[in-house]
Amino acid sequence: MKIFQREQRSLFGEILDWMLTPLLLLWPVSLVLTWLVAQGIAGKPFDRALEYNVGALAQLVTVNHNKAQFVLPLPARELLRADDSDAVYYQVLGTAGEYLSGEKGLPQPSEDEKPVPGEVRMRDDEFRGESIKVAYTWVKLDVPDSKPALVQVAETMEKRSVLATEIVKGVMLPQFVILPLAVLLVWLALVQAIKPLNHLEERIRARSPDDLSPLDAEAVPLEVAPLVSSVNDLLMRLKDSVATQKRFLADAAHQLKTPLAGLRMQADLAQREGANAEDLKQSLRQIGRSSIRATHTVNQLLALARAESSGTAMSQQPCNLVRVTMEVVRDCVPRAMDKHIDVGYEGAEPDDADVTIMGNPTLLKEMVRNLMDNAINYTPSNADKPGVITARVLKDPFSKVLVLQVEDSGPGIPAAERELVFQPFYRVLGTEADGSGLGLPIVLEIARQHQASVTVEDSRPGQTPPGTCFTVRFGQPA
C-alpha cells in the first residue's frame, strides 16, 4: 500500500512554493497596511479644514460687560454648512462652562485634560450614534478670575472613509494584475534557471551504458558543480571497480582453464582404444587431482568475493583471536603431517585478557586458514628434514595491539615481490607449489575489513633459507 508513502519531491515545485508563498502571504498584509496608511492620508486635509474652522470661530468669541459672547455672522455659517456626505457641528461654551452657541449635546473634552489657550487639538468621539472627528481649542478672555472659553467643531467621517477606500482601490487594484504577472514571471524564470539541469539529464541519458567518462563540470551552474563532482568521483570509482572485476574474471577464467583442460584431456585418454586398466586408473587419478585443484580455485574465488562484498555490512561480534587461531592450526595438522611439517602454536592463551577483537569469526578463520595453507604449500619438507610452521598471537601490553603471526621455514619471498604477492593470481617465480594465487589477496581483504595491516618479512634474516613471516596487526581490542 502506498497510502502512507511520501511522494517524491519536486525541486522545481519546492523552489516555486518558497518563492510564491511569501508573496501570497505578504499581499494581505500589504492590503491592511495600505488601508491604515490610506486612513491617515485621507484624514489630513479634513483635519486641517477642521483646525481652520475652529480658529475662525475662536476669533468670534468676545467679551461684553465681563461676560463671554459669541456672534456667528452669515459668512461664518457658510463655512460650517453641511455637505452631501458629512454633517458638521460646532459648540461654544463660555468662561463658566455656560452654553453660548452650537450643539448643546456635543461631547466635551475629558475633565482631566488641561486647557491650553490657543492650541488646537484633535480627538475621535461619537455623537448621535456616529463616529466624529472633533477639533477644539480654548480661548483666553479678558475676564477676571475666569476660565478659558471652549470652541469645538466636529465632523462625521464619511468623506474620510470614502477617500481612504479610493486610495486603497487605486493602490491595490493594479496589484490584481501585477500579482498574476509576477507569478508568471517567477515560473518562467524558474523554467529558464532549471534548464541546465534538464540538459545535464539529457546528456547523462544519452550516454551508452559502458561510457564511464567524467561529466563536464564547467557546463553546469556553480550550485550543481559539487553534485557533478561527486558523480564524477563515483564514476571513476565505478570504472576502477568494473576494470578490476573484468581483470578478475579474465584471470579466473585463465586459472580455471588449466584444470578443466586437464580434466578433458584425461577423460579423452581414458576413452582411447587399447587403454588398459592401469592407464584408466592413472587417468582417473589425474582427473581427481585436477578436480581438487579446480574446486580449490573456485572456493578461493568465492572466499575472495565474500570478503570483498562484506564492506560496511559485515556483521561483527567479539572474537577470541587466540581461540580462532588455535582451531585453524588444529585443523591443519593432518595435512601438515602428510608433508612431514611440524606445525605448532605459541603466544597468548585463550583465557588471557585483551585477546578479543570485534570482527567476523568466519572471515577471521578464513584469513588464518589461508595464511596456514600458504605456509604449508611453500615450505619444503621431508622425513629427514621436516619444515617448521609456527602460528602466534601476541599482545602489546602498552598499546593493547594484537598481532597475529604465521612463520615458516620456507625459501622466503624476495623484497621486490612482497607487494606483488597480494595481487590476485600472482605467484612467486621459481616455486613448484600447487596454488591458485588467491590466498594472500583474501588475507589482505579480510584484514582491511577489520582495520588491520599485513606485512611480510624474513623469519630468519641472514640464514638460508630465510623463511617467511606474515604479520597481521590489529587495532584496539574489543
Side-chain angles (χ1 to χ4, degrees), residues 108-115 138:
Q108 297 185 17
S110 173
E111 295 180 357
D112 298 334
E113 192 171 352
K114 182 179 179 180
W138 289 271

Side-chain angles (χ1 to χ4, degrees), residues 81-94:
R81 180 177 58 84
D83 55 26
D84 296 336
S85 301
D86 289 309
V88 180
Y89 311 99
Y90 77 97
Q91 183 188 67
V92 180
L93 301 180

